């Protein structure tokens, strides 16, 4: 994926692993199931007469709106994951995210305070991790979700070393 408006010229993005799509699908579906359970409790209580009755048009509107939103959210997950990428340059690391609201963050190596790797149970099951970059400025903190664990470890070591070298040169 290349967008002339936001992507720097000549940058070849390294994409995150395709297994991250499965992780996002699982978490997305579970999240929507919880949302539907929360929406469903008042509706079931209304249908059984335990709680106040909601107008039929409102019930249909809420259920339809939630279903359309859920389907759109789940269907777009593969495209959202494929839009994530990073590129190591000599002075900084570029991280790209987003479909509709695209974002490219440049993190200068000299500003890195530390590089963290995070992996919850589901990410570990798929052999993935999130590389979290911490800088002195909260606005430039960035992450690369869905990296293979070996690539995450390589990035952690490489970026930390580059950050230390740039910091020593200041």
């Amino acid at each position: 994926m290349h967008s002339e408006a936001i992507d720097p010229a000549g940058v070849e993005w390294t994409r995150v692993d395709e297994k991250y799509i499965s992780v996002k699908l699982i978490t997305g579906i579970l999240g929507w199931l919880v949302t539907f359970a929360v929406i469903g409790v008042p509706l079931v209580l209304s249908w059984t007469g335990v709680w106040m009755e909601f107008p039929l048009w409102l019930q249909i509107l809420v259920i339809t709106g939630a279903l359309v939103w859920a389907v759109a959210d789940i269907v777009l997950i593969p495209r959202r994951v494929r839009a994530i990428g990073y590129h190591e340059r000599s002075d900084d690391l570029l991280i790209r995210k987003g479909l509709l609201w695209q974002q490219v963050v440049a993190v200068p190596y000299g500003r890195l305070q530390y590089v963290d790797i995070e992996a919850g149970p589901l990410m570990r099951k798929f052999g993935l991790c999130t590389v979290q970059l911490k800088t002195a400025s909260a606005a430039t903190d960035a992450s690369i979700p869905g990296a293979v664990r070996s690539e995450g470890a390589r990035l952690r070591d490489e970026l930390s070393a580059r950050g230390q070298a740039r910091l020593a040169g200041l």
Side-chain angles (χ1 to χ4, degrees):
M1 174 177 269
H2 180 75
S3 172
E4 295 293 329
I6 198 163
D7 289 342
V11 169
E12 189 66 35
W13 297 104
T14 303
R15 300 295 177 186
V16 298
D17 196 276
E18 289 281 319
K19 292 183 280 187
Y20 190 55
I21 294 172
S22 299
V23 171
K24 292 300 285 181
L25 283 171
I26 291 168
T27 58
I29 290 169
L30 289 175
W32 278 110
L33 288 175
V34 169
T35 301
F36 284 120
V38 170
I39 291 172
V41 168
L43 292 177
V44 168
L45 291 175
S46 173
W47 296 334
T48 58
V50 174
W51 203 29
M52 67 177 173
E53 283 194 35
F54 293 106
L56 183 60
W57 66 269
L58 182 60
Q59 295 175 28
I60 292 171
L61 182 69
V62 167
I63 293 170
T64 305
L67 278 172
V68 168
W69 190 0
V71 168
D73 185 46
I74 299 299
V75 166
L76 287 176
I77 285 174
R79 291 197 60 206
R80 277 192 225 121
V81 169
R82 289 185 186 110
I84 301 170
Y86 62 93
H87 179 75
E88 298 172 69
R89 297 195 299 189
S90 60
D91 293 326
D92 57 13
L93 175 73
L94 298 177
I95 301 174
R96 180 191 199 290
K97 294 179 184 177
L99 286 175
L100 192 55
W101 284 273
Q102 296 176 350
Q103 176 186 30
V104 174
V105 176
V107 182
Y109 298 130
R111 299 284 176 115
L112 283 176
Q113 289 184 329
Y114 66 92
V115 182
D116 190 18
I117 295 182
E118 302 170 352
L122 193 56
M123 292 279 272
R124 284 194 310 269
K125 172 80 173 148
F126 283 90
L128 303 175
C129 66
T130 297
V131 179
Q132 188 77 30
L133 309 170
K134 298 293 184 178
T135 65
S137 170
T140 56
D141 287 354
S143 66
I144 304 170
V148 177
R149 290 164 75 180
S150 59
E151 176 67 1
R154 185 199 69 79
L155 279 171
R156 179 193 59 214
D157 297 340
E158 180 71 23
L159 298 177
S160 295
R162 288 182 185 184
Q164 288 293 357
R166 295 280 194 263
L167 217 71
L170 289 179

